[in-house]
Amino acid sequence: MDPNGGSSSAGAADGASDPAAARRRHSKKPKYSRFTQQELPACKPILTPGWVISSFIFVGIIFIPIGLASLFASERVVEIVHRYDKDCVPASYRNDMLAYIQSNETNKTCTRTFLVPKQMKSPVYIYYQLDNFYQNHRRYVKSRSDKQLRSRASENDTSSCDPEDVTANKSAIVPCGLIAWSLFNDTYGFSVNNTLLGVSKKNIAWKSDQQHKFGSDVYPKNFQSGGLIGGAKLNSSIPLSQQVDLIVWMRTAALPTFRKLYGKIEVDLEANSELTVVIENNYNTYSFGGKKKLVLSTTSWIGGKNDFLGIAYITLGGLSLFLAISFLLIYIIKPRPLGDPTFLSWNRNPAGHFN
Amino acid sequence: MTRGRIRAKLRQSHLYTFTCFRQDTADAEVPHSFDGPGFSRIVYCNQPQVHSKKPLYYTSNNISTTKYNIITFLPKAIFEQFRRVANLYFLLAAILSLTPVAPFSAVSMIAPLAFVVGLSMAKEALEDWRRFIQDMKVNTRKASIHKGNGVFGFKPWQRIRVGDVVKVEKDQFFPADLLLLSSSYDDGICYVETMNLDGETNLKVKRSLEVTLPLEDDGTFNDFRGTIKCEDPNPSLYTFVGNFEYERQVYPLDPSQILLRDSKLRNTAYVYGVVIFTGHDSKVMQNATQSPSKRSRIERKMDQIIYILFTLLVVISLISSIGFAVKTKYQMPDWWYLQPNNTTNFYNPKKPALSGIFHLVTALILYGYLIPISLYVSIEVVKVLQATFINQDIHMYDEETGNTAQARTSNLNEELGQVDTILSDKTGTLTCNQMDFLKCSIAGSAYGSGSSEVELAAAKQMAIDLEEQGNELSNFPMHKNSTGDSWNDASGLGATEIELETVVTSKDEKEHKHVIKGFSFEDIRLMGGNWSKEPNADVIELFLRILAVCHTAIPERNEEIGGFNYEAESPDEGSFLVAAREFGFEFCKRTHTSVHVRERYVSSGQPVEREYQILNLLEFTSKRKRMSVIVRDEDGQIFLLCKGADSIIFDRLAKNGRMYEEATTRHLNEYGESGLRTLALAYKKLEESEYSAWNSEFMKAKTSIGPDRDAMLERVSDAMERELILVGATAVEDKLQKGVPQCIDKLAQAGLKLWVLTGDKMETAINIGFACSLLRQGMKQICITLNPDVQTQDGKEAVKENILMQITNASQMIKLEKDPHAAFALIIDGKTLEHALADDMKYQFLGLAVDCASVICCRVSPKQKALVTRLVKEGTGKTTLAIGDGANDVGMIQEADIGVGISGVEGMQAVMASDFSIAQFRFLERLLVVHGHWCYKRIAQMICYFFYKNIAFGLTLFYFEAFTGFSGQSVYDDWYMLLFNVILTSLPVISLGVFEQDVSSEVCLQFPALYQQGPRNLFFDWYRIFGWMGNGLYTSLIIFFLNIIIFYDQAFRSAGQTADMSAVGTTMFTCIICAVNCQIALTMSHFTWIQHLFVWGSITTWYIFLLLYGMTSPLFSGTAYQILVEALAPAPMYWCATLLVIVTCNLPYLVHISFQRSFNPMDHHIIQEIKYYRKDVEDQYMWTRERSKARQETKIGFTARVDAKIRQLRGKLQKKHSPTATNVQTPLS
């Protein structure tokens, strides 16, 4: 029968009291927590004019000094850039520079002289700069074997080195791959006022590369022994971890124009002293029209000569200050009191509303 | 079997005069003759074992609504996953990444995909598991089954087989489609509530065949055998064709013997039935359609964005592959360092086209970062979490039923914030289908001081509004003491004040709880026998007697409290009986011929039981709109007692019976305005001779056979029900669910339109319209109905034309209306709707409906509900939400953009079909205004940000290509890219999507107008989307080119080293991570510790990752080995570049939002500011004022009603003060 208790049920009494009670027993009532009720304490920052203006001013104050500092540092850097790819080709070969560079007979030595414009404090870093050289080409970047470079045990791990992986008789090339194969092989000798300058190669490669990526028990093998000779040859008695030029070269550049560290001169170069460079111009950039440059540069805390960073910082800082002033003016000329209800949409467009 | 056995209890089921006499069915009892396809089912009753094997094996009663099972889950779910274009693209990319074409390692492609797909599948599995649990609940319900030898025992529903004999008790659901064999009533009838099937609340009568009547207790089923041959399973609820072979006789079966699964046995102690259709064969399951998978508007738009990005992807891929082909053909032969003569097809200068094509594939994979792989999965994660919040919301928990809100599908959360039109069911949704006797008017005086819910709500609102307008109307004496006021005598205003006063007083009395169901009457003048002291005591007595006698209910002794419960046909009647009981006229017994009423307050003081002999009963039908009984009291006097719709009764009053007509009419109007259901009560005294003359006529009509029997009966009844004397009127509150008027009001203020689609008749629907403030006095009601004259005379065309004319006229009228406050309500019934929904008329109809403030469709079928929903959805192109509780709402729930089921009631169909379920209608407000608003903004911002960050990242890859001869080399390490979407930028955006709150939930509720940001789509329009994409483009340009210029060729450290590819890539990637995370911090306006943790944690994670990655073996980390420790961190340049890029990237956005906030602030900005400065606390007046102003222009809801009333009063005030005012309107006319 109808278990309707408690109330005198009229008409379509639904007898719900009992099941409801049953349901209440295993209640599904959500437990209250600030998390589930989305009432966690929160900070609700809003962009007040004060915040806007002070943040712009803040950016301005921070950025302009940084910009000035880096611009100043950049100004202190002395840099000599000397392009030699064309000038180092004898006049007779000027029309066919490719033949010149590819020939074994031609004399590749080339002597250049230039003045040091300002005093260059040691260390003076020597870079070579290549242009239009796609060290970042996918085919190129992939063509190496980190395993092989790292340990002798993986000497035959050349699968990723295509097409410069094995010699004709299938023995592994160490170091394999296009990157190593195309190692830059121009050399530079420096003298100032006819005194020879030593070129130090110490610390031009990353320490981690020397210690962990290029094995001290891995020696060059079958390198540049095939029909096609790419770039520099390696002394097979020196382990890879000591082949700093190779290590530097193997760090592929991000852009087709790049500088790589060649070495450093650890004496100061006085202003107006005459610097003579003897260049062994071996490397073929002529086939693809790439430039070769020799760069001598000192550094500052931001590295090399880099005006852009400073200018960018100053510009941005200036822009921020300008914006701060503009907003200040805006707020003065056309203030909108914060939280002013007259700006609510129903107050702005009262049309249609009842009064 | 003998029929004359003594029964312990009254088993007379029949009160239906018109059907009292079973129609002589001799001519009808011809078995159906059918054969062939569609009629192959054979059921051997009480022999379920026959049906356990072929060919008579039928499907079990186990139902399953799951999408997968253990075996099909993997293939099916995987298939579902890869139906998404983006996923398919990533799958292809992952497959291709195994070939040398790929620019990345295979794992960096496959891992994120596996993660993403795995997560989505896990979600699917979880949802399906929930469905399974739901099914199991139904399947394991117990039913009483005949186990043989006349013994019944309980079995779970799922083990019920075809042919089983089932005993179903009162208020239980039928476990399968049954053939009714017998019931606790003598004549084998039972009452069935089919609310779950068609939403109709009135009980239906089912009647068993006469031959099976003797099967009336458990024992008789020992050797019961029979065979049913019938139609095959089909979804038609109202048809059934079959034959029943019993004791070598064949009897035809029709729908009236069939009890359908999921309907409920009511008012009947028990029934026996034999199972015909089980499980998925049952009619209700055949009706169940797969709920269509719905996608939100935002998600559909997101697809378009993805297509745009795909196009972009293809374009830049083509550019780079053409570039590559050109470079390969013309320049690569010169690049001796690549050994161009010794290449594979990927880089063959002799076959540039082929290489180009290969490269296209590479490029398509490489630039895949434009398409956020984690977008779908992040959105899924976010939506599931949002759904959890909805489920966990304590404010949407219903104490009574113990139900929480349930987001049953999580992919529509944000759609909740964009709803434009709500289509609502009535019974069970707006109302609880319970009637409360609230007021009455007897002999021209009104009794009952209780207020309907809507009055209370309106009074509250009025008090607020008046406070605010107090300045303007300083001389307006409102709810404060109005005594002695100058214009107190104005009749109209007087009435208003009384109304207001009652409202205010009853508010105080609210503590006084009435526990009697169906009775909320509060008036000391009638209670406790006090009525006898009233001036019109004799009329009151008559009034109460009519209530106690004129009905068709059956009393049922309630042993616990010693009183009576009443089993009435309609809840109205039940409430009358309860009222009569409370007034001292307790209806206690009904026999075939009489009604016994125990009268408590008679002059003698001792309760007296009086017997009224029922001579005739003229039944209530929707056409007649009245019912009467003719009784002979103990003194032998014959009375006709009549109750019915006021208009009908007033037409039938005698000249001397109109004494109270005027006062009663006024009261009826008041009641109507408050949304009460009213009936007028009347009587007439009959002379013996007059009666007997009529009776013979009546009997003749009743016993006649033929098509005009009903017409004859009606004519005869009609003749009797004339010359009545009005006694009074009743007002019953169709109890609205808790908080419905407030909720409707808020929703209206939020700018939502509400359409009510109900199966109820027009009068009820209109009453409820008043009760919910969808209708009010002064609103112009446009009723579109079939003109009966046109209908009978001409064909369909004429009918259509007539309706079209009505629609056009109404549209014209609205167009010509000048008063801006004029409101229109459209009321249309189902039959008319049938024509109005025809293709050639529906847009006119829709146009009219859209112009009206409220739309009420009554007498609509479930299918029409769905059609109306579709019309609104497709015709207006706006988001629709359908809410309902019964199976009749399933169609519209599935059709609407969002379907909401009410889970308070027992039936689960609507809930099962719905996307969201809530326990009560009032929770809809919070669901939409709070959760919908939040979810919309969250998802919109999240998607925009997603595209922004992926464009910012993806395009840098493209720019870099231009510097690598388009060779497909990426500047970033594979691991960076893998982590970008999956870890480094995903958590902040998820926290944005889950926790962002522009304003708190209280503010959302206080300022419903904020909701309009969703329907107006302010946060996901193309302007905003392209703005974000532009921001992404800008960011990518800044990040790439600033870094490239800074690291171009110069040393970046004081030790002279130049930056190699990994240094540049890592710096750039650092910039990206920092820039996009700072960007999201700027986007957010709500930081809990979680957001802080995720945003700043992501940046920290990047550095930690870089540190750890640099510490792994160089064979694994490659060029990134020790990059942070050794190369980048010691270089000031790295930090300077990062800072510069971050600030440059975010500066324009900062300027943009600062500018927008100062000059074009949006509503939520200002509210944030008010909250920030605690102005709401300091200046409460302003806060309250803004709260009351923050409404969309609304013409429905009680606020609008109050506004209208105030306008009216103010108008009157002016008239009053102007000397020419002569005619003071009453506010009720």
Side-chain angles (χ1 to χ4, degrees), chain B residues 575-593:
Chain B
S575 75
F576 289 155
L577 285 168
V578 172
R581 185 186 67 201
E582 297 303 318
F583 291 135
F585 287 75
E586 188 173 37
F587 163 54
C588 56
K589 193 172 159 197
R590 178 187 283 280
T591 66
H592 279 272
T593 54

Side-chain angles (χ1 to χ4, degrees), chain B residues 1054-1075:
Chain B
S1054 53
Q1057 291 95 339
T1058 51
D1060 64 334
M1061 200 153 81
S1062 62
V1064 174
T1066 309
T1067 314
M1068 247 152 77
F1069 199 77
T1070 309
C1071 294
I1072 291 174
I1073 296 297
C1074 295

Side-chain angles (χ1 to χ4, degrees), chain B residues 705-756:
Chain B
I705 302 165
D708 52 348
R709 176 174 175 269
D710 286 357
M712 246 167 93
L713 267 173
E714 192 168 315
R715 213 170 44 242
V716 177
S717 319
D718 190 64
M720 175 47 97
E721 295 163 321
R722 288 191 176 279
E723 300 295 304
L724 304 172
I725 297 161
L726 184 66
V727 175
T730 57
V732 171
E733 183 176 15
D734 189 351
K735 201 87 180 131
L736 288 181
Q737 292 211 358
K738 210 167 140 199
V740 165
Q742 290 88 339
C743 178
I744 289 180
D745 190 51
K746 283 279 180 194
L747 292 176
Q749 289 181 20
L752 293 160
K753 295 178 193 72
L754 185 72
W755 292 35
V756 174

Side-chain angles (χ1 to χ4, degrees), chain A residues 2 4-5 8-14 20 23-24 27-30 32 35-38 40-48 52 56 63 79 125 127 129 133-134 136-142 146-147 150 163-164 178 181-182 206-208 212-213 230 251-257 259 283-284 287-288 299-306 308-309 312-313 316 323 327 330-331 334 336 338-341 343-348 352-355, chain B residues 101-102 170 266 327 334-339 342-343 347 362 389 392-394 397 399-404 469 517 558 560 565-566 578 581 931 934 938 960 963-965 967-969 995 997 1007 1042 1044-1046 1048-1051 1053-1058 1060-1062 1085-1088 1090 1092 1114-1115 1118 1121-1122 1126-1127 1132-1133 1136 1139-1140 1143-1144 1147 1151 1153-1154 1157-1159 1161 1163 1166 1169-1170 1172-1173 1175 1182 1186 1189-1191 1193:
Chain A
D2 188 359
N4 243 328
S8 44
S9 148
D14 53 13
R23 255 178 262 129
R24 220 169 290 139
S27 167
K28 293 184 284 181
K29 179 163 185 167
Y32 175 83
F35 178 76
T36 55
Q37 301 308 311
Q38 310 191 55
L40 283 176
C43 73
K44 301 167 188 168
I46 57 165
L47 278 178
T48 63
V52 173
F56 281 128
F63 271 47
E79 189 186 49
Y125 293 95
Y127 302 91
Q129 175 170 346
F133 187 102
Y134 285 90
N136 56 12
H137 196 280
R138 186 151 72 103
R139 177 173 163 84
Y140 190 78
V141 172
K142 295 244 181 302
D146 284 337
K147 273 191 190 160
R150 191 162 184 247
E164 196 60 26
L178 286 174
W181 177 71
S182 59
W206 296 106
K207 210 176 260 154
S208 65
H212 300 289
K213 284 197 198 157
R251 284 255 182 177
T252 52
L255 297 170
T257 301
R259 281 181 194 177
Y283 203 67
N284 176 13
S287 62
F288 51 86
T299 59
S300 66
W301 61 269
I302 58 158
K305 196 166 189 62
N306 199 337
F308 177 80
L309 190 71
Y313 261 97
L316 204 63
L323 285 169
F327 270 98
I330 286 172
Y331 290 131
K334 209 182 159 196
R336 180 180 78 79
L338 286 182
D340 180 359
F343 280 79
L344 287 163
S345 64
W346 49 88
N347 291 328
R348 277 197 282 183
H353 196 261
F354 70 95
N355 53 7
Chain B
V101 187
K170 186 174 169 182
R266 300 299 300 264
K327 281 253 180 201
D334 296 332
W335 297 344
W336 59 267
Y337 51 89
L338 294 179
Q339 297 199 356
N342 191 8
T343 59
Y347 306 98
T362 310
F389 281 140
Q392 290 287 322
D393 194 330
I394 215 156
Y397 169 75
E399 293 281 350
E400 261 161 55
T401 54
N403 282 329
T404 55
Q469 300 190 348
K517 202 168 172 186
N558 189 326
E560 279 172 59
N565 293 338
Y566 300 108
V578 172
R581 185 186 67 201
H931 289 282
W934 279 346
R938 287 167 178 175
F960 185 70
F963 289 88
T964 65
S967 63
Q969 177 60 36
F995 303 109
Q997 295 178 10
F1007 292 86
L1042 281 188
I1044 288 299
I1045 296 168
I1046 290 170
Y1048 183 59
D1049 57 1
Q1050 289 289 351
R1053 293 162 49 109
S1054 53
Q1057 291 95 339
T1058 51
D1060 64 334
M1061 200 153 81
S1062 62
S1085 60
H1086 182 90
F1087 288 88
T1088 65
I1090 300 170
H1092 280 302
L1115 291 182
Y1121 180 65
Q1122 295 207 345
E1126 190 184 24
M1133 184 79 127
C1136 286
L1139 181 65
L1140 178 75
V1143 173
T1144 318
L1147 204 63
V1151 173
I1153 55 173
S1154 310
R1157 197 180 262 275
S1158 9
F1159 289 107
D1163 293 340
I1166 291 172
E1169 288 163 6
I1170 292 175
Y1172 185 80
Y1173 288 113
K1175 278 194 176 180
M1182 177 278 292
E1186 293 311 322
K1189 276 202 214 166
R1191 312 166 182 155
E1193 181 199 356

Side-chain angles (χ1 to χ4, degrees), chain A residues 246-284:
Chain A
L246 175 74
I247 294 173
V248 170
W249 181 254
M250 294 292 280
R251 284 255 182 177
T252 52
L255 297 170
T257 301
F258 58 88
R259 281 181 194 177
K260 280 186 184 292
L261 203 49
Y262 177 79
K264 49 192 175 185
I265 298 169
E266 289 180 320
V267 292
D268 294 355
L269 298 178
E270 296 307 323
N272 296 319
S273 52
E274 191 170 77
L275 190 65
T276 311
V277 192
V278 180
I279 301 168
E280 283 295 324
N281 183 14
N282 295 322
Y283 203 67
N284 176 13

Side-chain angles (χ1 to χ4, degrees), chain B residues 1102-1123:
Chain B
W1102 158 243
Y1103 286 108
I1104 291 171
F1105 160 77
L1106 200 56
L1107 190 71
L1108 296 178
Y1109 187 49
M1111 278 157 61
T1112 58
S1113 154
L1115 291 182
F1116 179 67
S1117 54
T1119 51
Y1121 180 65
Q1122 295 207 345
I1123 192 156

Side-chain angles (χ1 to χ4, degrees), chain B residues 16 27 175 197 251 742 820 894 917 983 1097:
Chain B
Y16 296 87
D27 54 345
L197 301 174
Y251 305 92
Q742 290 88 339
Q894 289 184 344
S917 74
I983 292 178

